[in-house]
Amino acid sequence: MTELSARGLSVDLGRRHALSGVDLTLRPGRLTVIVGPNGAGKTTLMRALAGLLAPAGGQVTLDGRPVTRIASAERARSIAYLPQGGSVAWPLPVFEVVALGRLPHGEKPDSLPPPGREAVSAAIHAVGLEGFGARAATDLSGGERARVLLARALATQAPVLLADEPVAALDPRHQLVVLEVLRRQARAGRTVAAIMHDLTLAARFADEMILLNRGRIAVSGRPETVLTEAELAAHFGIQAHVSQDGGRLVVVADRPLPEPGQDAV
Amino acid sequence: MRPSRLPLILGLVLLIGGLSVASLVIGPAPIAPLRALTALASDQGSATVVVRDIRLPRTLLALMIGWIFGLTGAGLQGLLRNPLADTAVFGAPQAAAFGAVLVIYSGFVGALSWMLPFAAILGALASVALVVTVAGRRATVVVLVLSGLAVGSLAGAGTSLAISLSPNPFAVTEIVFWILGSFEDRSIVHVWLVAPFIGAASALVLSSSNGLRALALGEETARSLGANLVRLRLLLVAGAAIGTGASVAVAGSIGFVGLVAPHLVRPFAGYDPARTLVPSGLAGAALLLAADCAVRLIPSQTEVKVGVLTAILGVPFFLWVIARRKAELAEMPI
């Protein structure tokens, strides 16, 4: 049971303040979805949470310990991070790519001990890629490759899983498959956070949502608290229609609102 | 599910053994294989002089230098996630040769012979660091190759300037040797001179294997898996510079072995960058030994320089890799 928190977190990218005063807590057993317009600082937040960016102010803590002070191998065993649009440089077999998730445990893909081998097989099974183990990852479709990379993150069996746009390249069916995997990970007691753009899908799977805009948390809480027409207008600049369909939140973006100082379109 | 590397490594070791015997046998004075091996172990008169003093040093040098070129080529290709990376593409042999030429030209080499490898290593280090800095961490292959071309051309221009300004024709002959690359007239002293550097460079490159594995998934994922990328770059750039610099200091500018060797072993060893390191080193040793035997068999008035042969064979291979993979290379970041 591992809790990942940020307190007063600020991150500068060059001269730009990418994040300012972010406070949040990602709890075990919960799937938190981070949403926000382009350039809001979502990826920066996730990289800082993963301990890959040094904060300019404040700190990120893993069960109370600052992540930047945790040794890189231990941090890698505790936080699995799936970056946006990941790639595989060489035509490695799927099994070997997923097995790279065991490196933080000191296990090499060519000499996995039985528990490591089981973790890799379970991760491949979880994303529905059984039978793909020997295929070259570079020969797969974009959707299949995205699931291979998710399996790589799962194979680490880290208590925290951070995924940056894990369903961006996927068709609707595989979006559901991946989000169900993330939800199952959360139900198994892991701390899971994902960045998403499809607000209806996000509302359906999120236990909690964080709406980020201009490097700050605009609003957070249950999806119905975050995804209101007023918040969507204020932070996404859209006129949207939010409704309930059989107890599910549906967000339909109607039209872009004029930017301040611009005539209506 | 992974094929074992053992048959490949054993096969390469046997090939190297065979080529080493060939290297002791081939030359202007033909010596039968059995006699050559006997001459190594016991005094057989002139045969022992030829085998021990002339052919053994060039065999050992070709073996060690081919090994380090193959190893660093595989390491750099893994580091840059790019099948075209090699010290030769970075202009490192030319820069190392320029470092060596500066020492010869300035006359220091007479008094301070140990300066030659250090000057060559500094030249190689400067070129690799310059290319990596100018090309940047996310440069495309085009930027990488153009940066290497510029650095190599600059080093070549510096060497040409040294030749044109040289008042001493003997220095010019020496300088030309460093440009062309050869194992001719090398002695056991050269073997001892280069061995510690090749040992150090091998240790640096081999210790990077886990980082190279993680890097197959990109820098961000590699860092999240616990890889220290600053350390990884330092290990490989230092290993490549020390290996190339020391090799050029004793044998001149020999290129393209490091580019070709990893491609030869991948169909058997797989694409995991860590698993290609040792087989690439062995393939590099076999390639350079074979090239050095070949130059002795080409009928000509004077021996064809081995650096010329590796370039004649390596450049078309480089073009072939580009032609085969041009679609993916056009977009590939490093």
Side-chain angles (χ1 to χ4, degrees), chain A residues 104-241:
Chain A
H105 297 272
E107 297 170 8
K108 295 174 185 170
D110 42 357
S111 54
L112 283 180
R117 187 161 275 276
E118 272 171 37
V120 172
S121 299
I124 290 174
H125 175 75
V127 299
L129 286 176
E130 301 95 332
F132 279 66
R135 284 183 57 184
T138 44
D139 291 345
L140 303 180
S141 69
E144 287 163 345
R145 204 179 311 152
R147 285 187 287 148
V148 170
L149 296 175
L150 172 63
R152 190 279 306 159
L154 296 179
T156 304
Q157 297 182 315
V160 180
L161 173 61
L162 305 175
D164 191 348
E165 298 200 26
V167 296
L170 303 184
D171 60 41
R173 182 175 181 276
H174 288 112
Q175 288 186 350
L176 293 173
V177 168
V178 164
L179 287 169
E180 274 165 10
V181 169
L182 295 184
R183 182 150 68 183
R184 268 203 302 278
Q185 294 292 315
R187 296 293 172 267
R190 296 207 163 92
T191 305
V192 185
I195 294 174
M196 287 176 67
H197 278 295
D198 184 330
L199 299 176
T200 301
L201 205 58
R204 189 170 152 198
F205 282 90
D207 297 310
E208 287 179 44
M209 285 184 90
I210 293 170
L211 197 168
L212 204 67
N213 192 16
R214 295 168 201 251
R216 294 175 183 276
I217 292 182
V219 54
S220 65
R222 297 279 312 151
E224 53 274 20
T225 317
V226 174
L227 298 178
T228 64
E229 290 173 5
E231 299 290 1
L232 296 175
H235 301 295
F236 281 93
I238 54 167
Q239 183 178 311
H241 179 68

Side-chain angles (χ1 to χ4, degrees), chain B residues 9 83 94 116 149 156 245 268 286 315:
Chain B
I9 290 178
Q94 295 96 313
L116 200 61
L149 181 74
F268 310 100
V315 173

Side-chain angles (χ1 to χ4, degrees), chain B residues 9 26 41 67 71 146 151 153 174 188 222 228 250 285 308 320 327:
Chain B
I9 290 178
I26 299 169
W67 154 264
L71 188 69
L146 287 177
V151 170
S153 302
E174 278 274 282
I188 206 75
N228 182 340
V250 295
V308 177
W320 176 71

Side-chain angles (χ1 to χ4, degrees), chain B residues 122-135:
Chain B
L122 276 181
L125 195 61
S127 75
V128 178
L130 198 59
V131 168
V132 170
T133 308
V134 171

Side-chain angles (χ1 to χ4, degrees), chain B residues 52-270:
Chain B
R52 275 194 204 165
D53 296 347
I54 299 172
R55 294 187 191 164
L56 181 64
R58 72 185 293 168
T59 304
L60 290 175
L61 284 175
L63 207 151
M64 289 194 297
I65 291 173
W67 154 264
I68 199 64
F69 281 166
L71 188 69
T72 52
L76 287 174
Q77 290 182 11
L79 176 72
L80 299 171
R81 287 178 286 141
N82 189 321
L84 290 176
D86 177 35
T87 49
V89 180
F90 292 176
Q94 295 96 313
F98 178 55
V101 163
L102 269 188
V103 173
I104 298 165
Y105 182 71
S106 62
F108 279 128
V109 73
L112 305 164
S113 61
W114 55 267
M115 274 189 70
L116 200 61
F118 283 100
I121 288 168
L122 276 181
L125 195 61
S127 75
V128 178
L130 198 59
V131 168
V132 170
T133 308
V134 171
R137 279 168 27 186
R138 295 194 59 79
T140 60
V141 174
V142 174
V143 174
L144 177 76
V145 172
L146 287 177
S147 309
L149 181 74
V151 170
S153 302
L154 184 67
T159 307
S160 302
L161 183 70
I163 292 173
S164 57
L165 294 181
S166 178
N168 180 351
F170 294 109
V172 172
T173 314
E174 278 274 282
I175 289 168
V176 168
F177 166 83
W178 259 277
I179 298 169
L180 299 181
S182 170
F183 297 115
E184 252 180 300
D185 303 329
R186 304 288 92 187
S187 71
I188 206 75
V189 174
H190 293 101
V191 175
W192 292 122
L193 189 69
V194 78
F197 292 107
I198 287 183
S202 303
L204 290 171
V205 176
L206 288 171
S207 64
S208 70
S209 64
N210 264 348
L212 288 179
R213 278 199 166 104
L215 205 53
L217 299 180
E219 294 195 357
E220 199 79 331
T221 304
R223 287 184 61 211
S224 80
L225 286 169
N228 182 340
L229 297 189
V230 175
R231 181 176 168 271
L232 184 70
R233 278 193 206 101
L234 267 177
L235 285 174
L236 284 163
V237 168
I242 292 172
T244 308
S247 301
V248 170
V250 295
S253 179
I254 296 170
F256 295 99
V257 174
L259 173 77
V260 176
H263 290 269
L264 296 182
V265 299
R266 283 196 189 110
F268 310 100

Side-chain angles (χ1 to χ4, degrees), chain A residues 4-117:
Chain A
L4 190 64
S5 304
R7 289 287 164 265
L9 177 66
S10 301
V11 175
D12 294 343
L13 295 179
R15 287 186 196 161
R16 194 166 68 86
H17 301 300
L19 291 177
S20 307
V22 171
D23 290 304
L24 61 84
T25 301
L26 303 178
R27 294 187 176 83
R30 316 281 286 170
L31 170 56
T32 305
V33 174
I34 301 167
V35 296
N38 293 137
K42 302 183 293 294
T43 295
T44 304
L45 172 61
M46 198 156 263
R47 293 177 68 210
L49 289 171
L52 301 177
L53 274 180
Q59 63 181 15
V60 175
T61 57
L62 186 74
D63 284 337
R65 297 163 67 200
V67 283
T68 45
R69 287 204 209 140
I70 300 175
S72 58
E74 187 191 344
R75 191 198 67 218
R77 284 194 296 274
S78 306
I79 305 172
Y81 172 58
L82 179 66
Q84 188 179 333
S87 62
V88 184
W90 306 102
L92 294 170
V94 166
F95 189 90
E96 283 187 30
V97 173
V98 178
L100 290 173
R102 302 302 296 173
L103 283 178
H105 297 272
E107 297 170 8
K108 295 174 185 170
D110 42 357
S111 54
L112 283 180
R117 187 161 275 276

Side-chain angles (χ1 to χ4, degrees), chain B residues 35-54:
Chain B
R35 182 136 191 263
L37 291 175
T38 320
L40 262 186
S42 61
D43 195 348
Q44 300 285 314
S46 63
T48 295
V49 174
V50 169
V51 170
R52 275 194 204 165
D53 296 347
I54 299 172

